[in-house]
Amino acid sequence: MTYGCQMNVHESEKLAGILQEYGFCRADGAESADIIVFNTCCIRESAETRVLGNLGRVKSLKDGNPSLIIAVCGCMTQNPGAAERLKKRCPFVDIIFGTHNLHKLGDYLSDLESKKTRVEIWDGENGSVVEDVPIARAEGVNAWVNIMYGCDNFCSYCVVPYVRGRERSRDMSVIVAEVKELVSGGYKEITLLGQNVNSYGRDGNDKGTNFAALLEKLSALDGKFRIRFMTSHPKDLDENVIKTVAASDKVSDFIHLPAQSGSDRILGLMNRKYTAKEYLTKIETIKKYIPGAGLSTDIMVGFPSETEDDFAKTLGLVREARYNNAFTFIYSRRSGTAADKMDGQIPYEVKKERIMRLIDLQAEIGSALASECVGKTYEMLCDEYDPGQKTGRGKSDCGKTITFGTDADRRGGFVRVKVTGAKNTNLYAEACEE
Ligand code: 5AD
Ligand code: SF4
């Protein structure tokens, strides 16, 4: 059971790979499972509440089947004291492990056979990059590829640097070899993952290693496939990367660039290391080099001491940037972070009211941008087929989700489509004749 971001989705593919090597296969559901692994998230309180609620539910399964193994791993277990609290609150959990030792699940299972409950989390030592972990990838057109782990940014609201440790980049040659193999194996979309992909290689000794160089190397591989990446930090996304994205016919013209806020005072308190103006200049640069680029962002409302005026600046930034899509969050207090100790925590009702206004504004912008697409043609990668509706679905190169009519299952194919209609942010299209 996976909670949280794409990094966790991919790490669960590694956990599944280890389980398969150990002799397990995928169960139809929790009721028929011999082992349930919870790969957790703690970025917001709501994620933790969900995990605890679902753990409570599987307790009854374990009561009925004492040989059921329950393991909990991932970000939530890495919070100080969390593993001990979990052990006390959920004594039926057999294995608790962290973010740096996912690859050791097989060892923990072997230990269980000699009836030892394991609790092993990362102890703060800097982790290494572990290669050659088996991966049971989800079926489909997309394959996730980690390029780096951890984060050095310490945004004041965020637990990630504490639970995932310092930035560690994988060797470029290993990443290139993995992507090559995935493309020959039929994957049409490769999504590069890292908490801060633009600082890829900065921790290494190889001076030629940086994110733009990696994109160039991957773009030079043979075959028709698409490269996506997430997440970019605005302070690190440089012109060089933007030009590389523009020049490559493989790298998707889509950039997810979390802004978080439009108020310089709040951005300072958040330790984001850019101003709203600098952020918008980056957006301008993207639009200059990559006309038609798709843009998305993360925005947080209700950071400590955020005033109505600060929030108005966030709305202003969203209006100016014109995102196709925005992920919006209510600030959630995370213990151990700098923001948790800040004065001026905002009442929930105020945060709720602000996020509603933000969502309404973004919906307006998203629909306006979608209607501008009507009449235009795009190349899209089809990754879903509905035989009942006779429709295919997928994303254009610039990240727009498009549904088009087709009698054939065209999953895995690149299709040229002409947009015929838009409803809210959804685009409808017909396939162009070849
Ligand atoms: N509260 C709310 N949202 C958060 N995020 C990170 N930490 C918090 C928090 N404490 C959001 C940020 C980040 C996204 C992945 O999650 O917007 O970009
Ligand atoms: Fe968290 Fe900031 Fe790192 Fe993103 S860049 S993971 S928000 S600390």
Side-chain angles (χ1 to χ4, degrees):
M1 301 185 70
T2 306
Y3 303 81
C5 62
Q6 281 83 3
M7 188 73 83
N8 267 15
V9 171
H10 182 41
E11 278 173 350
S12 285
E13 293 181 331
K14 295 183 184 173
L15 293 165
I18 296 169
L19 290 175
Q20 272 182 14
E21 273 204 345
Y22 206 83
F24 288 98
C25 62
R26 188 175 290 276
D28 292 331
E31 286 71 23
S32 60
D34 296 310
I35 176 165
I36 304 176
V37 183
F38 286 76
N39 190 10
T40 64
C41 170
C42 61
I43 195 120
R44 283 169 287 275
E45 195 181 355
S46 53
E48 283 193 278
T49 314
R50 253 196 313 277
V51 173
L52 291 172
N54 288 337
L55 266 173
R57 244 160 266 145
V58 298
K59 181 184 180 301
S60 57
L61 293 177
K62 177 113 181 175
D63 291 341
N65 172 16
S67 64
L68 171 66
I69 301 168
I70 301 194
V72 183
C73 67
C75 294
M76 201 176 122
T77 65
Q78 291 288 170
N79 270 326
E84 290 71 28
R85 284 198 300 277
L86 189 66
K87 196 79 204 99
K88 246 190 218 139
R89 183 174 167 161
C90 305
F92 55 90
V93 172
D94 301 286
I95 306 171
I96 298 176
F97 56 120
T99 52
H100 288 233
N101 49 359
L102 292 180
H103 58 283
K104 287 165 84 180
L105 175 58
D107 298 346
Y108 303 150
L109 287 167
S110 305
D111 284 354
L112 264 193
E113 284 172 7
S114 50
K115 290 274 168 289
K116 266 194 283 166
T117 301
R118 279 301 285 262
V119 177
E120 190 170 295
I121 55 162
W122 170 52
D123 57 4
E125 284 293 304
N126 208 356
S128 50
V129 172
V130 179
E131 298 293 354
D132 300 324
V133 180
I135 304 177
R137 292 184 183 274
E139 280 177 24
V141 301
N142 177 71
W144 310 105
V145 174
N146 282 121
I147 63 165
M148 60 187 304
Y149 304 93
C151 181
D152 288 352
N153 287 319
F154 290 94
C155 300
S156 64
Y157 49 80
C158 185
V159 290
V160 169
Y162 303 97
V163 298
R164 286 192 170 266
R166 299 290 65 72
E167 288 179 5
R168 290 139 4 245
S169 298
R170 289 178 77 196
D171 282 350
M172 185 128 90
S173 58
V174 178
I175 299 170
V176 173
E178 182 172 338
V179 172
K180 212 168 163 180
E181 197 182 317
L182 290 167
V183 172
S184 11
Y187 286 98
K188 301 290 184 198
E189 183 177 80
I190 303 294
T191 305
L192 309 176
L193 293 176
Q195 250 80 35
N196 185 12
V197 289
N198 296 102
S199 64
Y200 169 75
R202 239 183 248 169
D203 54 309
N205 304 321
D206 177 359
K207 294 280 176 285
T209 307
N210 59 50
F211 187 53
L214 176 67
L215 288 179
E216 268 168 26
K217 268 250 162 69
L218 295 176
S219 299
L221 292 176
D222 288 338
K224 170 97 177 148
F225 68 100
R226 178 186 284 172
I227 302 164
R228 288 162 57 94
F229 56 85
M230 65 182 75
T231 293
S232 294
H233 192 301
K235 77 176 163 56
D236 297 313
L237 176 73
D238 58 20
E239 204 161 304
N240 207 8
V241 169
I242 299 171
K243 283 182 180 166
T244 308
V245 174
S248 165
D249 58 355
K250 290 202 170 71
V251 181
S252 168
D253 288 345
F254 172 81
I255 294 184
H256 177 63
L257 200 62
Q260 312 297 358
S261 170
S263 152
D264 290 345
R265 192 182 69 81
I266 296 292
L267 287 169
L269 288 173
M270 285 177 165
N271 192 29
R272 290 292 286 179
K273 301 193 175 79
Y274 54 82
T275 61
K277 188 156 187 289
E278 283 162 350
Y279 177 89
L280 287 167
T281 306
K282 290 252 155 117
I283 296 279
E284 280 306 305
T285 312
I286 295 171
K287 289 180 177 170
K288 178 174 121 196
Y289 287 110
I290 318 170
L295 287 172
S296 71
T297 195
D298 292 343
I299 304 275
M300 195 186 302
V301 302
F303 186 82
S305 83
E306 184 188 71
T307 61
E308 184 53 37
D309 183 49
D310 292 316
F311 178 62
K313 288 182 171 136
T314 297
L315 294 179
L317 177 133
V318 167
R319 255 185 225 110
E320 213 163 310
R322 282 172 67 79
Y323 301 107
N324 300 91
N325 195 11
F327 299 91
T328 55
F329 305 105
I330 285 181
Y331 166 75
S332 166
R333 265 180 111 150
R334 302 283 67 204
S335 95
T337 61
D340 186 39
K341 294 167 204 87
M342 288 181 189
D343 291 336
Q345 299 288 333
I346 307 288
Y348 181 74
E349 297 68 39
V350 176
K351 294 197 252 193
K352 186 89 205 156
E353 193 271 334
R354 284 185 189 158
I355 202 169
M356 292 320 290
R357 276 194 279 158
L358 176 61
I359 290 169
D360 286 348
L361 171 65
Q362 179 51 38
E364 215 177 276
I365 294 166
S367 321
L369 286 174
S371 40
E372 285 172 19
C373 299
V374 176
K376 295 190 178 151
T377 55
Y378 295 94
E379 184 184 68
M380 59 177 284
L381 173 57
C382 179
D383 62 5
E384 280 177 47
Y385 180 59
D386 181 337
Q389 299 286 329
K390 293 205 185 306
T391 53
R393 216 172 136 88
K395 279 199 163 59
S396 70
D397 185 48
C398 53
K400 297 181 202 303
T401 303
I402 303 178
T403 306
F404 70 107
T406 171
D407 288 339
D409 179 354
R410 297 177 79 168
R411 280 179 298 175
F414 287 89
V415 186
R416 276 209 83 72
V417 296
K418 182 170 185 179
V419 175
T420 51
K423 191 160 186 259
N424 303 324
T425 55
N426 303 313
L427 296 178
Y428 300 91
E430 56 193 28
C432 302
E433 293 306 322
E434 295 299 316

